């Protein structure tokens, strides 16, 4: 019995995320990275990444949020495929895979704190691995994903997960039921490095530590046990009571209008609201899908300049949705 040939084209669907909790420690003195304890939650707002065999590498971006997305080697999806190709050449005992053309249908907002770029990188890894013969196992792809950024491994995994270290050391979180959301997307993105710089300034971590402050610098954020328990209970109200984001104050300082969006969310009856990741997207928690629809209508009236999406989670991670021989 012979193995089926690898498909010529593969399309992968990959989710956006929201951090239900994001605890951030002081930057490490040797590398500047902040230790994290975060709870990732994938939602069913997705990009689609298609990889097809080609004569040369290329990248095309279409869709609602295509504007401003790079279409060269600076795009994380392109870098993911290059890294995967190097890994194939070095470890899989096969010739260097032929080039591919990457197409991204961009439905996840850009620079919104929803890991859209990381999602595309995860989608490109899975799709390219498929057209190159599926030589690598999921664990191999996750190891490559860690080299691309802290959010990329979670985009492969999906669901709910606790992330520690840089956020890329993942463990699955047990949870019941679905959570329903209204995402409120600002018309201006936020730079993640700028948010972290502002966070450091607000926390007093833009200065070198002293003997008195060194213990605080060395503390590692603890997992948010109250939130984890709320997820296990499946009670959306309880989950809403334990949402937290250490980067929220920094994001609001950089975009003061986020404060108005959070206030409007409370006015229209959201269970809770939180800045997603480094922002500026606001995630408003609803009690049900119908409640989320009501919240979206209210937000459209109170904050017409903000784009709203109704979504839910947990959603699966990157998955192949179609192939073509």
């Amino acid at each position: 019995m012979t193995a089926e040939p690898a498909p010529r084209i593969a399309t992968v669907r990959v989710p956006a995320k929201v951090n239900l909790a994001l605890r951030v420690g002081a930057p490490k003195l040797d590398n500047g990275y902040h230790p994290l304890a975060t709870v990732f939650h994938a939602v069913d707002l997705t990009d689609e990444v298609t990889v097809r065999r080609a004569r040369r590498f290329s990248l095309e971006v279409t869709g609602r949020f295509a504007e401003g997305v790079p279409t060269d080697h600076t795009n994380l999806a392109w870098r993911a495929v290059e890294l995967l190709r190097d890994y194939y050449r070095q470890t899989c005992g096969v010739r260097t895979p032929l080039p591919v053309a990457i197409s991204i249908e961009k439905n996840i907002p850009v620079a919104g704190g929803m890991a859209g770029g990381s999602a595309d990188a995860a989608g490109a890894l899975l799709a390219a691995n498929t057209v190159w013969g599926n030589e690598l196992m999921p664990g191999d792809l996750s190891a490559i994903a860690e080299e691309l950024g802290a959010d990329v491994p979670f985009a492969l995994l999906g669901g709910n997960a606790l992330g520690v270290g840089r956020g890329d050391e993942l463990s699955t979180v047990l949870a019941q039921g679905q959570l329903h959301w209204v995402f409120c997307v600002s018309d201006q993105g936020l730079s993640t490095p700028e948010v972290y710089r502002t966070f450091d300034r607000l926390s007093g971590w833009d200065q070198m530590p002293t003997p008195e402050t060194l213990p605080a610098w060395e503390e590692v954020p603890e997992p948010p046990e109250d939130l984890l328990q709320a997820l296990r209970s499946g009670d959306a109200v309880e989950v809403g009571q334990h949402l937290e984001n250490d980067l929220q104050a920094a994001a609001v300082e950089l975009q003061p209008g986020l404060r108005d969006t959070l206030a409007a969310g409370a006015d229209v009856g959201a269970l809770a609201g939180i800045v997603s990741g480094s922002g500026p997207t606001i995630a408003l928690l609803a009690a049900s899908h119908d409640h989320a629809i009501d919240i979206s209508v209210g937000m459209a009236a109170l904050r017409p300049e903000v784009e709203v999406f109704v979504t839910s989670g947990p959603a699966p991670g990157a998955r192949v949705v179609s192939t073509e021989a």
Side-chain angles (χ1 to χ4, degrees):
M1 182 176 180
T2 59
E4 292 186 5
R8 183 173 56 90
I9 303 172
T11 297
V12 169
R13 188 169 294 149
V14 63
K17 63 84 182 169
V18 59
N19 298 80
L20 304 183
L22 180 53
R23 295 179 173 179
V24 183
K28 295 295 185 183
L29 296 175
D30 55 348
N31 58 24
Y33 286 119
H34 295 73
L36 307 176
T38 185
V39 177
F40 292 109
H41 175 75
V43 296
D44 58 7
L45 176 63
T46 60
D47 282 355
E48 286 197 354
V49 182
T50 298
V51 169
R52 52 176 54 82
R53 298 181 205 166
R55 294 186 176 182
R56 61 181 180 86
F57 282 101
S58 64
L59 176 63
E60 176 188 32
V61 183
T62 60
R64 190 169 187 176
F65 294 102
E67 184 177 352
V69 178
T71 56
D72 58 15
H73 68 280
T74 62
N75 188 295
L76 199 60
W78 185 307
R79 289 165 53 196
V81 170
E82 286 185 329
L83 195 59
L84 180 68
R85 193 174 188 234
D86 289 343
Y87 195 92
Y88 259 72
R89 185 176 65 246
Q90 295 168 12
T91 66
C92 293
V94 298
R95 292 182 301 171
T96 301
L98 294 175
V100 292
I102 308 166
S103 300
I104 300 173
E105 182 183 329
K106 196 83 188 112
N107 303 307
I108 302 173
V110 177
M114 302 166 69
S118 296
D120 296 339
L125 280 177
L126 183 56
N129 187 50
T130 302
V131 302
W132 285 339
N134 258 330
E135 294 284 340
L136 299 184
M137 301 297 290
D140 299 315
L141 295 181
S142 294
I144 297 170
E146 289 178 15
E147 298 185 43
L148 293 162
D151 290 337
V152 183
F154 175 71
L156 286 171
L157 178 65
N160 297 304
L162 174 67
V164 297
R166 291 173 56 194
D168 54 0
E169 300 172 28
L170 299 175
S171 56
T172 300
V173 168
L174 298 177
Q176 292 192 59
Q178 277 196 314
L179 296 176
H180 300 273
W181 302 92
V182 176
F183 282 1
C184 305
V185 181
S186 170
D187 58 359
Q188 294 180 328
L190 273 178
S191 160
T192 297
E194 186 177 8
V195 173
Y196 270 95
R197 284 193 294 270
T198 303
F199 168 76
D200 286 344
R201 177 174 55 79
L202 294 176
S203 304
W205 289 336
D206 57 342
Q207 307 292 326
M208 292 299 293
T210 66
E212 292 75 20
T213 62
L214 187 58
W217 279 73
E218 294 177 338
E219 287 182 3
V220 176
E222 294 290 333
E225 293 297 339
D226 288 342
L227 173 64
L228 297 175
Q229 177 59 40
L231 288 169
R232 288 191 289 268
S233 76
D235 185 337
V237 173
E238 188 177 352
V239 170
Q241 292 172 350
H242 297 292
L243 300 180
E244 58 177 293
N245 182 357
D246 284 350
L247 298 181
Q248 182 159 309
V252 170
E253 176 162 312
L254 292 168
Q255 279 199 24
L258 298 180
R259 187 177 292 106
D260 297 330
T261 301
L262 287 165
D267 289 343
V268 299
L271 299 180
I274 192 171
V275 171
S276 178
S278 58
T281 299
I282 299 289
L284 301 175
L285 181 60
S288 65
H289 176 73
D290 288 344
H291 187 210
I293 295 294
D294 291 341
I295 291 171
S296 70
V297 171
M299 292 301 294
L302 290 180
R303 299 286 287 162
E305 69 278 20
V306 173
E307 198 162 6
V308 296
F309 297 87
V310 173
T311 186
S312 63
R319 64 200 188 280
V320 177
V321 294
S322 68
T323 59
E324 185 176 327

